Amino acid sequence: MHTLTLSQLAAGLRSQQFSSVELTQTFLKRIAQHQNLNAFVTVSEKLALQQASQADQQLASGNSSALTGIPIAQKDIFCTQGIKTSCGSKMLDNFIAPYNATVVEKFNAAGAVMLGKLNMDEFAMGSSNETSFYGPSLNPWATDCVPGGSSGGSAVAVAARLAPAVTGTDTGGSIRQPAALCGITGLKPTYGRVSRYGMIAYASSLDQGGPMARSAEDAALLMQVMAGFDPKDSTSVEQAVPDYSATLNDSLQGLKIGLPKQFFSADLDSNMAAAVQAAIAEYQKLGAEIVEVSMPTLDMAIPAYYVIASAECSSNLSRYDGVRFGYRCQNPADLTDLYTRSRGEAFGAEVKRRILMGTYALSAGYYDAYYLKAQQVRRLISDDFKRALSEVDVLMGPVTPGPAFRIGEKSGDPIQMYLSDIYTIAINLAGLPALSLPAGFIDGKPVGLQVIGNYFSEAKLLNIGHQYQQVTDWHQQQPHGFE
Amino acid sequence: MSLTANDVKKIAHLARLGIDQQQIEHYAQDLSNLLDLMTQMGQRDTQGVAPMAHPLDQVQRLRPDVVSETDQRQNFQTIAPQTEAGLYLVPKVIE
């Protein structure tokens, strides 16, 4: 059962080949078998079996939708009522959310079953899952390597077949990079397309939730549930949601693909370049036309991102004060000691680094030089994308500089770690959607192709992904030992 | 651009963030390296460029001023570190 696609699972449930309870038990068993991967922070077995049994009743009554009875798992950044929502941090290790995130509500309404909450970098700040309070999740393709981050547990759960599909969030590459490093499909939607209500904030002008699955076809089914206007999120966009599955089979004849020359500079690893070029050659066979484009401000994306993200993080994380919820230090001497020690004891090193950086960038005398400058550079980067996407339909390039790196290899050097997001970060600054597709292997480890589209072009991206997955089988490869 | 241990202490105080004494030099070095990276933005001329705060240049949506939340004080206080009689307790602020 664990190897079937979402549509196959749905068909199996409808034709009563297996029940949702049986299906849920299968995945719960796999999760228990592969605990060493550390993909889950919490397994919500009791709730899952309750939801599965309800789903079975709905299926029997004929009153069901596409995902009724299908087990999924949520990144531990989405608030789940009555179930621990840690965000990968000691700060929220004792936090039982009093309400559900809109994304969680939507999956509940669709009749999906929640297996549990997935490991992640602390407050989504990291590119390797190593900043998690619960320790890193392990890449099933090479367990001495990171799965990427911050949605590391999400990518591992799908790659190791511990869940058929999951959610992730992407602030600077946190869906696409782990998807690429674990050989799965991940979609970062347009900013505002998926509600951020109940999704714990890191950098509010960049954060966006999205689906992570084994194929574009499965991601389309998840996206159908996740997308849509939410009055509870003030940056949610009021725009109709298309049928993401309806256009998957559209022809790519005449598709104009732009290759930003800055993505293919001499710095790009030759194996990585070969993998991406091979994928692009497949698209040419499918009728696409290739055009080189130039995006001269792309090299400023990393500095601009780390100013903006750190500034927003320092502001967002000021809510963790040890007063209303979360961690509180023992025996505080006074109020300042309560704040300072609760935060000092409960935040990890990377979160502290970003809070300090952001506080500095926003402090009197430095605001113009850093924050304002970064916002101006952000505009230039966004203009680069606008110009390029007026000439072509989509842009393509690598997702990462290379395959998964070893645990500990970059954790001592923040800048090296930040550079691993070099191909993904600019997309968040512009607020555009982008898809990460499995596109081959380097040294036995998966790498990805990135497809970047215009605002609200998720259906087109999924169509482009699906067509590629009809002529390649990278997305069907499974890590050894997890078949 | 380099930050001293004193700068780090000052920033940590602004952020109400406890930092281990032994770690301060380490943070000073890390933050100085990051600032060097960020200073690269200075190479780009941004004279007259409008700062971008939101990817879609949206404006804040308005809604009718009606009550939409119910009283959930008790529910919310069950997850608080310390409460009494419906109030959140903190160390004494005024002597």
Side-chain angles (χ1 to χ4, degrees):
Chain A
M1 275 184 255
H2 64 275
T3 57
L4 301 177
T5 67
L6 291 186
S7 323
Q8 287 167 338
L9 288 175
L13 287 168
R14 258 172 208 78
S15 61
Q16 296 183 327
Q17 278 174 287
F18 43 79
S19 69
S20 174
V21 169
E22 285 165 341
L23 184 60
T24 302
Q25 278 165 338
T26 300
F27 281 104
L28 288 170
K29 208 170 135 194
R30 286 187 67 79
I31 294 168
Q33 268 170 358
H34 299 293
Q35 260 179 17
N36 64 314
L37 292 178
N38 201 19
F40 283 78
V41 171
T42 304
V43 181
S44 47
E45 185 168 348
K46 206 173 133 201
L47 172 76
L49 290 170
Q50 261 171 19
Q51 289 179 326
S53 133
Q54 265 171 16
D56 281 330
Q57 285 169 20
Q58 280 183 332
L59 286 158
S61 71
N63 178 28
S64 60
S65 61
L67 291 190
T68 303
I70 294 193
I72 55 132
Q74 297 282 358
K75 183 176 182 179
D76 208 15
I77 199 168
F78 289 103
C79 285
T80 43
Q81 190 169 14
I83 290 177
K84 179 165 102 171
T85 301
S86 74
C87 218
S89 181
K90 181 180 176 182
M91 180 61 86
L92 296 178
D93 183 48
N94 63 359
F95 177 62
I96 309 290
Y99 66 100
N100 278 329
T102 293
V103 163
V104 173
E105 286 286 328
K106 280 172 168 271
F107 277 109
N108 286 347
V113 170
M114 189 182 82
L115 295 166
K117 308 292 294 288
L118 297 158
N119 201 352
M120 55 181 283
D121 279 297
E122 184 178 11
F123 285 104
M125 297 176 205
S127 310
S128 67
N129 215 151
E130 292 169 289
T131 73
S132 169
F133 174 59
Y134 305 95
S137 187
L138 311 181
N139 192 319
W141 291 95
T143 50
D144 60 340
C145 287
V146 304
S150 65
S151 313
S154 300
V156 171
V158 175
R161 313 303 192 238
L162 309 183
V166 302
T167 60
T169 63
D170 193 314
T171 304
S174 286
I175 286 177
R176 292 160 287 156
Q177 186 251 21
L181 300 189
C182 290
I184 68 161
T185 303
L187 174 66
K188 183 253 168 219
T190 307
Y191 182 82
R193 179 80 287 190
V194 170
S195 169
R196 292 187 298 111
Y197 179 76
M199 190 179 110
I200 295 174
Y202 153 26
S204 305
S205 79
L206 305 163
D207 297 341
Q208 183 62 203
M212 299 172 77
R214 277 167 23 210
S215 65
E217 188 184 9
D218 283 0
L221 289 171
L222 252 66
M223 192 57 193
Q224 204 67 49
V225 172
M226 296 176 81
F229 174 65
D230 180 11
K232 291 175 178 168
D233 170 2
S234 69
T235 57
S236 175
V237 177
E238 252 177 305
Q239 188 162 325
V241 177
D243 181 340
Y244 292 111
S245 300
T247 46
L248 289 174
N249 289 314
D250 285 4
S251 160
L252 300 186
Q253 195 65 44
L255 179 79
K256 244 176 151 177
I257 298 172
L259 303 183
K261 67 176 183 192
Q262 288 77 5
F263 273 2
F264 297 88
S265 70
D267 297 339
L268 181 61
D269 173 79
S270 60
N271 291 322
M272 199 63 226
V276 173
Q277 290 298 352
I280 288 160
E282 288 294 339
Y283 280 105
Q284 283 178 297
K285 284 193 236 161
L286 290 169
E289 181 193 334
I290 310 297
V291 185
E292 189 187 82
V293 295
S294 180
M295 306 182 60
T297 324
L298 268 185
D299 61 334
M300 291 293 134
I302 287 194
Y305 173 87
Y306 279 99
V307 171
I308 291 168
S310 300
E312 293 185 14
C313 127
S314 77
S315 167
N316 271 325
L317 270 61
S318 63
R319 75 190 63 181
Y320 303 105
D321 56 4
V323 175
R324 291 152 304 145
F325 58 92
Y327 179 86
R328 171 182 279 203
C329 66
Q330 294 287 316
N331 307 316
D334 54 30
L335 194 58
T336 302
D337 186 45
L338 167 69
Y339 294 150
T340 308
R341 244 177 347 106
S342 296
R343 291 161 64 77
E345 290 170 14
F347 288 139
E350 181 59 28
V351 170
K352 283 182 184 162
R353 202 150 35 225
R354 294 196 197 185
I355 290 175
L356 291 172
M357 191 66 242
T359 304
Y360 180 73
L362 291 175
S363 62
Y366 300 101
Y367 181 90
D368 284 5
Y370 294 104
Y371 191 64
L372 192 70
K373 182 78 182 178
Q375 285 191 313
Q376 290 175 314
V377 170
R378 184 178 187 176
R379 170 85 55 197
L380 295 178
I381 291 168
S382 174
D383 288 348
D384 271 4
F385 276 109
K386 276 187 187 144
R387 209 175 310 115
L389 287 167
S390 70
E391 294 163 19
V392 297
D393 298 312
V394 289
L395 301 166
M396 286 190 188
V399 182
T400 60
F405 45 90
R406 282 188 312 284
I407 292 170
E409 189 178 323
K410 295 184 182 180
S411 51
D413 184 348
I415 290 182
Q416 275 310 307
M417 189 68 88
Y418 293 177
L419 290 174
S420 60
D421 292 336
I422 193 158
Y423 299 109
T424 50
I425 245 166
I427 285 88
N428 298 75
L429 290 171
L432 292 164
L435 183 69
S436 172
L437 296 167
F441 290 84
I442 296 177
D443 302 330
K445 293 181 280 186
V447 292
L449 170 76
Q450 185 170 214
V451 191
I452 305 155
N454 223 324
Y455 297 103
F456 302 101
S457 67
E458 288 83 1
K460 185 82 210 162
L461 294 181
L462 290 165
N463 163 227
I464 290 169
H466 182 65
Q467 289 308 302
Y468 177 69
Q469 292 178 338
Q470 298 307 294
V471 294
T472 58
D473 65 357
W474 302 120
H475 65 295
Q476 287 168 346
Q477 308 297 316
Q478 294 176 50
H480 182 65
F482 300 93
E483 293 90 349
Chain B
M1 186 78 202
S2 78
L3 291 182
T4 64
N6 257 339
D7 293 328
V8 172
K9 281 186 201 163
K10 219 173 85 187
I11 303 163
H13 174 70
L14 287 174
R16 301 293 185 271
L17 186 63
I19 304 278
D20 282 347
Q21 286 302 314
Q22 302 97 309
Q23 293 288 316
I24 288 184
E25 287 293 343
H26 187 67
Y27 278 109
Q29 188 57 56
D30 273 355
L31 294 178
S32 299
N33 293 344
L34 289 173
L35 284 174
D36 284 341
L37 178 76
M38 290 161 184
T39 309
Q40 289 173 12
M41 289 189 300
Q43 300 161 10
R44 294 305 153 101
D45 181 12
T46 51
Q47 187 104 42
V49 176
M52 179 172 165
H54 185 286
L56 303 172
D57 286 327
Q58 261 187 333
V59 289
Q60 195 67 39
R61 197 174 54 241
L62 299 177
R63 65 167 174 80
D65 185 16
V66 290
V67 177
S68 58
E69 291 291 318
T70 52
D71 177 11
Q72 296 196 63
R73 181 156 75 173
Q74 222 173 356
N75 186 16
F76 292 159
Q77 291 203 332
T78 57
I79 52 168
Q82 217 183 346
T83 60
E84 198 179 297
L87 304 170
Y88 292 94
L89 295 192
V90 293
K92 208 180 206 176
V93 179
I94 302 162
E95 289 300 329

